[in-house]
Amino acid sequence: MTVPPIRPRNRRRGIRPAVLASFGAAAVALAVLTTAAVLPGLAGAEQTDAPPAAQSLQVFGAQLSATPRDTYTATPGEETYVAGGTNRDWASLVLLYGEWPVTEENVTVIMRWMRQENYEKTWWNRNNPLNNGWGSGGGGGLGSYPNLRVAAQNAAEALHTHPGYAGIRDGFAASAPTEVTEAAIWASPWASSHYANGSHWHYTPTQVIKAPAEAW
């Protein structure tokens, strides 16, 4: 007699540990993949959604003004002095021809000097304001020149040529104080009297007087 096998009682089947481990590993892998896929998106979303940095432009109150232009002044030349025609112009012309500075000190010295040699109101007498004997054809400075322009040229040339006038040249070149250049004039052989070493020199203000046009 064959005995049939005894069937086990129905019971809940459990999940094997190996299968459970496989499920766990798959779940972890899925979580990693999901996180990797989501994180870049989140990062991109953060970068995209972030508001742009605020930019500002500050303009400081600067007032625009016109650029100042250089000013130019013309140095008076020969024709300017001739056109002026005064004793001051003639003194300036001597300095111009002698290539010395046309300064107030130098002009003052020559104007005083002219007054010592000629009457101030007729300073152009014989077209020889300083009674210069150089090239004037007259001894002792009593000669004359064709015009006052030539007289100024000869005065400058005489001062540059004679060794006894070195002190006068130096005074003009340095635009020295008037008393320095005047002392050099007194010490020079320009006048045999040497202007009594300055005791005959006059310091009252000189008058500016115009010579006749034909004198030029």
Side-chain angles (χ1 to χ4, degrees):
M1 173 176 177
T2 301
V3 181
I6 300 173
R7 295 178 181 276
R9 295 179 181 176
N10 283 336
R11 59 183 178 179
R12 185 176 299 172
R13 296 179 179 272
I15 301 175
R16 295 179 180 179
V19 176
L20 184 61
S22 298
F23 284 160
V28 171
L30 180 60
V32 171
L33 291 175
T34 302
T35 303
V38 171
L39 285 178
L42 291 175
E46 290 177 359
Q47 294 177 357
T48 302
D49 296 341
Q55 297 182 357
S56 63
L57 176 63
Q58 294 183 354
V59 179
F60 295 94
Q63 296 181 351
L64 297 178
S65 59
T67 303
R69 297 182 180 274
D70 294 334
T71 56
Y72 298 91
T73 57
T75 301
E78 178 183 21
E79 296 305 323
T80 302
Y81 295 131
V82 171
T86 67
N87 47 349
R88 184 178 184 86
D89 291 310
W90 191 85
S92 300
L93 199 57
V94 172
L95 295 168
L96 180 70
Y97 288 145
E99 298 183 347
W100 296 302
V102 183
T103 61
E104 190 62 33
E105 290 80 6
N106 288 348
V107 170
T108 297
V109 168
I110 295 181
M111 290 184 71
R112 288 175 180 171
W113 194 3
M114 292 163 64
R115 183 171 57 186
Q116 296 297 134
E117 291 290 341
N118 273 306
Y119 290 112
E120 190 170 45
K121 292 185 178 180
T122 56
W123 62 267
W124 60 88
N125 186 33
R126 292 176 287 103
N127 291 334
N128 193 355
L130 284 177
N131 286 332
N132 179 23
W134 183 274
S136 65
L142 298 178
S144 62
Y145 295 101
N147 55 57
L148 290 173
R149 188 183 309 210
V150 174
Q153 292 170 347
N154 276 270
E157 186 177 353
L159 289 170
H160 269 296
T161 304
H162 199 294
Y165 304 149
I168 305 174
R169 293 193 295 270
D170 292 343
F172 285 148
S175 191
T178 57
E179 60 270 20
V180 173
T181 308
E182 287 167 339
I185 294 172
W186 307 336
S188 77
W190 189 277
S192 58
S193 67
H194 298 282
Y195 305 100
N197 292 321
S199 62
H200 292 170
W201 202 261
H202 299 285
Y203 295 95
T204 55
T206 55
Q207 301 179 60
V208 177
I209 301 172
K210 190 168 185 175
E214 58 269 19
W216 292 94

